Coordinates of all heavy atoms in Angstrom, one line a residue:
V173 N 37.9 22.0 16.4 CA 37.1 21.3 15.4 C 36.9 19.8 15.9 O 37.7 19.2 16.4 CB 37.8 21.3 14.1 CG1 37.3 20.3 13.1 CG2 37.9 22.7 13.5
V174 N 35.6 19.4 15.7 CA 35.2 18.0 15.9 C 34.7 17.5 14.5 O 33.7 17.8 14.1 CB 34.2 17.8 16.9 CG1 33.7 16.4 17.1 CG2 34.5 18.4 18.3
I175 N 35.5 16.6 13.9 CA 35.2 15.9 12.7 C 34.3 14.6 13.1 O 34.8 13.8 13.9 CB 36.4 15.5 11.8 CG1 37.4 16.8 11.7 CG2 36.0 14.9 10.5 CD1 38.6 16.3 10.9
V176 N 33.3 14.5 12.4 CA 32.4 13.3 12.8 C 32.1 12.5 11.6 O 31.8 13.0 10.6 CB 31.1 13.7 13.5 CG1 30.2 14.6 12.7 CG2 30.3 12.5 14.0
D177 N 32.2 11.2 11.7 CA 31.8 10.3 10.6 C 31.3 9.0 11.1 O 31.4 8.7 12.3 CB 33.1 9.9 9.7 CG 32.9 9.7 8.3 OD1 31.8 9.5 7.9 OD2 33.8 9.8 7.5
D178 N 30.7 8.2 10.2 CA 30.1 6.9 10.7 C 31.2 5.9 10.8 O 31.3 5.1 11.7 CB 29.0 6.4 9.8 CG 29.4 6.2 8.4 OD1 30.3 6.8 7.9 OD2 28.7 5.5 7.7
I179 N 32.1 5.8 9.9 CA 33.2 4.8 9.7 C 34.6 5.4 9.5 O 34.7 6.4 8.8 CB 32.9 3.8 8.5 CG1 31.7 3.1 8.7 CG2 34.1 2.9 8.3 CD1 31.3 2.3 7.5
I180 N 35.6 4.9 10.3 CA 37.0 5.3 9.9 C 37.6 3.9 9.4 O 37.7 3.0 10.2 CB 37.8 5.8 11.1 CG1 37.3 7.1 11.6 CG2 39.3 6.0 10.7 CD1 38.0 7.8 12.7
D181 N 37.9 3.9 8.1 CA 38.4 2.6 7.6 C 39.9 2.8 7.4 O 40.7 2.4 8.3 CB 37.7 2.3 6.2 CG 38.1 1.0 5.6 OD1 38.9 0.4 6.2 OD2 37.6 0.7 4.7
T182 N 40.4 3.3 6.3 CA 41.9 3.4 6.1 C 42.3 4.8 6.7 O 43.5 5.1 6.7 CB 42.2 3.5 4.7 OG1 41.5 4.5 3.8 CG2 41.8 2.1 4.0
A183 N 41.3 5.7 7.1 CA 41.5 7.0 7.8 C 42.1 8.0 6.8 O 42.5 9.0 7.2 CB 42.5 6.8 9.0
G184 N 42.0 7.7 5.5 CA 42.5 8.6 4.5 C 41.6 10.0 4.5 O 42.1 11.0 4.5
T185 N 40.3 9.8 4.4 CA 39.4 10.9 4.4 C 39.6 11.9 5.6 O 39.8 13.0 5.6 CB 37.9 10.4 4.4 OG1 37.6 9.7 3.2 CG2 37.0 11.6 4.5
I186 N 39.7 11.2 6.8 CA 39.7 11.9 8.1 C 41.1 12.6 8.2 O 41.2 13.8 8.6 CB 39.6 10.9 9.3 CG1 38.1 10.5 9.3 CG2 40.0 11.6 10.6 CD1 37.1 11.5 9.9
T187 N 42.1 11.9 8.0 CA 43.5 12.5 8.1 C 43.8 13.7 7.0 O 44.4 14.7 7.5 CB 44.6 11.5 8.1 OG1 44.6 10.8 7.0 CG2 44.5 10.6 9.3
K188 N 43.5 13.5 5.9 CA 43.5 14.6 4.9 C 42.7 15.8 5.3 O 43.1 16.9 5.1 CB 43.1 14.0 3.5 CG 44.3 13.2 2.8 CD 43.9 12.8 1.4 CE 44.9 11.9 0.8 NZ 44.6 11.3 -0.5
G189 N 41.5 15.4 5.7 CA 40.6 16.6 6.3 C 41.3 17.3 7.4 O 41.2 18.6 7.4
A190 N 41.9 16.6 8.3 CA 42.4 17.2 9.5 C 43.7 18.1 9.1 O 43.9 19.1 9.6 CB 42.9 16.0 10.5
V191 N 44.5 17.5 8.2 CA 45.7 18.3 7.7 C 45.1 19.7 7.0 O 45.7 20.7 7.2 CB 46.5 17.5 6.7 CG1 47.5 18.4 6.0 CG2 47.1 16.4 7.4
A192 N 44.1 19.6 6.2 CA 43.6 20.7 5.6 C 42.9 21.7 6.6 O 43.2 22.9 6.4 CB 42.5 20.4 4.5
L193 N 42.2 21.2 7.5 CA 41.6 22.0 8.6 C 42.6 22.7 9.4 O 42.5 24.0 9.8 CB 40.7 21.2 9.5 CG 39.4 20.7 8.8 CD1 38.8 19.7 9.7 CD2 38.4 21.9 8.6
K194 N 43.8 22.1 9.6 CA 44.9 22.7 10.4 C 45.5 23.8 9.6 O 45.8 25.0 10.1 CB 46.0 21.6 10.7 CG 46.9 22.1 11.8 CD 46.2 22.0 13.2 CE 47.2 22.5 14.3 NZ 46.5 22.6 15.6
S195 N 45.7 23.6 8.2 CA 46.2 24.7 7.5 C 45.3 25.8 7.2 O 45.7 27.0 7.0 CB 46.6 24.0 6.1 OG 45.5 23.7 5.3
W196 N 44.0 25.5 7.4 CA 43.0 26.7 7.3 C 42.8 27.4 8.7 O 41.8 28.1 8.7 CB 41.6 26.1 6.8 CG 41.7 25.7 5.4 CD1 42.6 26.2 4.4 CD2 41.0 24.6 4.8 NE1 42.4 25.6 3.3 CE2 41.4 24.6 3.3 CE3 40.1 23.7 5.2 CZ2 40.8 23.7 2.4 CZ3 39.5 22.8 4.3 CH2 40.0 22.8 2.9
G197 N 43.5 27.0 9.7 CA 43.5 27.7 11.0 C 42.8 27.1 12.2 O 42.5 27.8 13.2
A198 N 42.5 25.8 12.0 CA 41.8 25.2 13.2 C 42.8 25.1 14.4 O 44.0 24.9 14.2 CB 41.4 23.7 12.9
K199 N 42.2 25.4 15.6 CA 43.2 25.3 16.8 C 43.5 23.9 17.3 O 44.6 23.5 17.4 CB 42.4 26.1 17.9 CG 43.3 26.4 19.2 CD 42.6 27.4 20.1 CE 41.4 26.8 20.7 NZ 40.9 27.5 21.8
E200 N 42.4 23.2 17.5 CA 42.5 21.7 18.0 C 41.7 20.9 17.2 O 40.5 21.4 16.8 CB 42.3 21.6 19.5 CG 43.4 22.0 20.3 CD 43.1 21.7 21.8 OE1 41.9 21.7 22.1 OE2 44.1 21.6 22.6
I201 N 42.0 19.7 16.8 CA 41.1 18.8 16.0 C 40.9 17.5 16.8 O 41.8 16.8 17.2 CB 41.8 18.5 14.7 CG1 41.9 19.9 13.9 CG2 40.9 17.5 13.9 CD1 42.8 19.7 12.6
Y202 N 39.6 17.3 17.0 CA 39.2 16.0 17.5 C 38.4 15.3 16.4 O 37.8 15.8 15.6 CB 38.1 16.2 18.7 CG 38.9 16.8 19.9 CD1 39.1 18.2 20.0 CD2 39.1 16.0 21.0 CE1 39.7 18.8 21.0 CE2 39.8 16.6 22.1 CZ 40.0 18.0 22.2 OH 40.7 18.5 23.2
V203 N 38.5 13.9 16.5 CA 37.8 13.1 15.4 C 36.9 12.1 16.2 O 37.3 11.5 17.2 CB 38.7 12.3 14.6 CG1 38.1 11.3 13.8 CG2 39.5 13.3 13.6
C204 N 35.7 11.9 15.7 CA 34.8 10.9 16.3 C 34.1 10.1 15.3 O 33.7 10.6 14.2 CB 33.9 11.4 17.5 SG 32.9 12.8 16.9
C205 N 33.8 8.8 15.6 CA 33.1 8.0 14.6 C 32.4 6.9 15.4 O 32.8 6.6 16.6 CB 34.1 7.3 13.6 SG 35.2 6.0 14.3
T206 N 31.5 6.1 14.8 CA 30.8 5.0 15.5 C 31.7 3.7 15.2 O 31.8 3.0 16.2 CB 29.4 4.9 14.9 OG1 28.8 6.2 15.0 CG2 28.6 3.9 15.7
H207 N 32.0 3.6 14.0 CA 32.6 2.2 13.6 C 34.1 2.4 13.3 O 34.5 3.0 12.3 CB 31.9 1.6 12.5 CG 30.4 1.6 12.6 ND1 29.8 0.9 13.6 CD2 29.4 2.1 11.9 CE1 28.5 1.0 13.5 NE2 28.2 1.8 12.4
A208 N 34.9 1.7 14.1 CA 36.4 1.8 14.0 C 36.8 0.6 13.2 O 37.3 -0.4 13.7 CB 37.1 1.9 15.3
V209 N 36.7 0.7 11.8 CA 37.2 -0.4 11.0 C 38.7 -0.5 11.0 O 39.2 -1.7 11.1 CB 36.7 -0.2 9.5 CG1 37.3 -1.3 8.6 CG2 35.1 -0.3 9.4
L210 N 39.4 0.6 10.9 CA 40.9 0.8 11.1 C 41.6 -0.3 10.3 O 42.4 -1.1 10.8 CB 41.2 0.7 12.6 CG 40.6 1.7 13.4 CD1 41.0 1.5 14.9 CD2 40.9 3.2 13.0
S211 N 41.5 -0.3 8.9 CA 42.2 -1.2 8.1 C 43.4 -0.5 7.5 O 43.5 0.6 7.4 CB 41.3 -1.9 7.0 OG 40.8 -0.8 6.2
G212 N 44.3 -1.4 7.0 CA 45.5 -0.9 6.2 C 46.4 0.0 7.0 O 46.7 -0.1 8.2
P213 N 46.7 1.2 6.4 CA 47.6 2.2 7.1 C 46.8 3.1 8.2 O 47.4 4.2 8.5 CB 48.1 3.1 5.9 CG 47.0 3.1 5.0 CD 46.3 1.7 5.1
A214 N 45.5 2.8 8.6 CA 44.8 3.7 9.3 C 45.4 4.2 10.6 O 45.6 5.4 10.9 CB 43.4 3.1 9.7
I215 N 46.1 3.3 11.3 CA 46.6 3.6 12.7 C 47.8 4.5 12.5 O 48.0 5.5 13.1 CB 47.1 2.4 13.5 CG1 45.7 1.7 13.9 CG2 47.9 2.7 14.7 CD1 44.9 2.4 14.9
Q216 N 48.6 4.3 11.5 CA 49.8 5.1 11.3 C 49.4 6.5 10.8 O 50.0 7.5 11.3 CB 50.7 4.5 10.1 CG 52.0 5.3 9.9 CD 52.8 4.7 8.7 OE1 52.5 3.6 8.2 NE2 53.8 5.4 8.3
R217 N 48.3 6.6 9.9 CA 47.9 7.9 9.5 C 47.3 8.7 10.7 O 47.6 9.9 10.8 CB 46.8 7.7 8.5 CG 47.3 7.2 7.1 CD 46.2 6.9 6.2 NE 46.6 6.6 4.8 CZ 45.9 6.3 3.9 NH1 44.6 6.0 4.0 NH2 46.4 6.1 2.6

């Protein structure tokens, strides 16, 4: 799976999506975005 978005800010959307996709049977998950805002808990998430 390749999740694509324009912005990763707090990474809540992306990481919750990744957890859900893994539970639904995704083999490997890659994430890509154009703008790495990366605020708050983004890196830890």
Side-chain angles (χ1 to χ4, degrees):
V173 167
V174 176
I175 309 175
V176 62
D177 210 348
D178 60 333
I179 295 171
I180 296 180
D181 185 357
T182 59
T185 297
I186 289 288
T187 51
K188 281 182 181 172
V191 168
L193 290 167
K194 197 72 181 171
S195 70
W196 292 328
K199 189 170 66 174
E200 281 183 336
I201 298 170
Y202 293 78
V203 165
C204 54
C205 74
T206 308
H207 309 299
V209 175
L210 302 179
S211 64
I215 291 298
Q216 186 185 347
R217 285 173 173 175

